[in-house]
Amino acid sequence: MADLTPDQRRRLYAFAQQLAELADHQEDRWKVQSTEGRILLTMTNPTAVDGLNAVRLRRQIEAKAPGVVALSDTHMGNPETGLVKVPDLVVIAEDDIDDTARVLNARIVLMAVEVVSPAHCLTDIRDYPRMGVPLYVVVDARKDKQTVTVHSDPSPGPDGISYRKAVPYAFGDTVTAGRWSLETSSLKS
């Protein structure tokens, strides 16, 4: 993102928001995301298993932290970086929700959860720490993987701001992600 000026980042962010608003009026579901000065427009086609895994994690997250909500397919962004993402779950304090905002400010996000699908955008691992997301949980339910990886400790380094810690778990393990302990035995592949 170093090659974009602050004004270009703000314009990219605003344009991604405009596209997301247009996408909301389409019959098919679209994700509008930005990365490295580009806007990615992807038609979503989640499987029932992806949705089930997201719901099972959502229930645990909300049950273990009163006052916290896990929103599905919600736009979050950071106008300073120009980045806009749509994780499967975005976890925030309910009191922090600005009901006038079209896009959640990524700086208030407590955790983002992504359930990997074949069309998964691999740029999230680079973009989320730059957006200010402190925890990023990746659920890979593909039959040859069946893992949950918790990325944390976003901090600067020679490669810019990135997650400095990644802890992998297998399906069936109890996953520790910040203040949450998540049971993964009910996740499906």
Side-chain angles (χ1 to χ4, degrees):
M1 297 296 299
D3 56 337
L4 295 179
T5 67
D7 184 56
Q8 288 172 319
R9 289 182 190 135
R10 282 190 293 279
R11 288 191 317 213
L12 178 70
Y13 181 80
F15 187 56
Q17 286 183 304
Q18 291 172 349
L19 283 176
E21 189 171 325
L22 289 171
D24 284 347
H25 299 291
Q26 302 304 308
E27 186 174 320
D28 295 320
R29 294 207 40 194
W30 293 87
K31 274 189 179 183
V32 178
Q33 303 185 99
S34 62
T35 185
E36 299 177 358
R38 298 177 294 139
I39 292 179
L40 307 172
L41 187 61
T42 311
M43 188 184 310
T44 61
N45 191 17
T47 67
V49 169
D50 293 344
L52 179 63
N53 286 338
V55 166
R56 287 182 172 169
L57 290 171
R58 177 184 186 173
R59 288 177 184 154
Q60 290 184 63
I61 291 165
E62 291 178 343
K64 295 178 182 190
V68 167
V69 292
L71 305 173
S72 299
D73 297 320
T74 301
H75 287 85
M76 71 171 184
N78 182 320
E80 293 169 16
T81 62
L83 296 168
V84 175
K85 296 291 181 180
V86 186
D88 291 318
L89 294 175
V90 60
V91 181
I92 61 172
E94 194 165 1
D95 290 343
D96 288 343
I97 293 176
D98 176 356
D99 58 357
T100 63
R102 175 118 182 87
V103 175
L104 284 175
N105 185 330
R107 300 260 177 222
I108 66 167
V109 172
L110 304 171
M111 177 171 58
V113 178
E114 198 72 60
V115 179
V116 174
S117 63
H120 180 69
C121 179
L122 298 176
T123 60
D124 297 346
I125 191 69
R126 292 189 311 266
D127 292 341
Y128 284 9
R130 295 189 319 209
M131 294 173 74
V133 177
L135 286 170
Y136 177 42
V137 177
V138 179
V139 179
D140 193 338
R142 294 177 289 182
K143 296 235 184 261
D144 61 331
K145 301 287 183 187
Q146 297 180 340
T147 60
V148 177
T149 305
V150 178
H151 300 274
S152 63
D153 191 23
S155 53
D159 55 346
I161 297 173
S162 64
Y163 292 117
R164 301 295 168 198
K165 189 174 181 184
V167 179
Y169 297 88
F171 276 25
D173 291 346
T174 299
V175 172
T176 301
R179 64 174 117 165
W180 291 275
S181 290
L182 305 171
E183 296 301 324
T184 64
S185 60
S186 67
L187 296 181
K188 301 289 184 189
S189 58

